[in-house]
Amino acid sequence: VGIGVIGCGIRSRELLRALRAGGVVVAAADCDTTRRDDYVARASAEGGSSRGYADWRELLDDPRVEAVVIGTPDHWHAPMCLAAMAKK
């Protein structure tokens, strides 16, 4: 399963090992460049190929993304979840 991660903060970093067990993290989105680049490097460290996006909507357009994990502040969960379900 190609997993896209929206929000690359502490919670998403904690989940990374579990996410790798269930699939491959193929994309990550965060408006913070440093967090996003660090997450992409960690996700790609084991031979994977993860792409970073500044805009979470671009992540949803990535054809490799089959499932998403939303690790953003609570008030963003609903709009991001609805957009993800509408895309796939």
Side-chain angles (χ1 to χ4, degrees):
V1 174
I3 301 169
V5 176
I6 302 173
C8 301
I10 294 169
R11 184 65 181 136
S12 293
R13 284 194 308 259
E14 291 172 349
L15 290 171
L16 186 55
R17 179 171 285 137
L19 294 176
R20 285 190 206 144
V24 178
V25 177
V26 295
D30 199 297
C31 58
D32 182 308
T33 305
T34 302
R35 276 197 298 203
R36 180 180 64 242
D37 291 348
D38 178 63
Y39 197 89
V40 167
R42 288 173 188 253
S44 298
E46 294 180 8
S49 175
S50 185
R51 177 179 288 162
Y53 294 99
D55 188 326
W56 58 271
R57 291 169 289 240
E58 292 177 8
L59 177 142
L60 295 180
D61 290 335
D62 187 328
R64 300 173 306 149
V65 174
E66 299 172 290
V68 295
V69 172
I70 301 171
T72 60
D74 290 344
H75 66 279
W76 277 106
H77 288 197
M80 291 175 171
C81 183
L82 292 171
M85 288 187 290
K87 285 282 184 182
K88 304 296 175 184

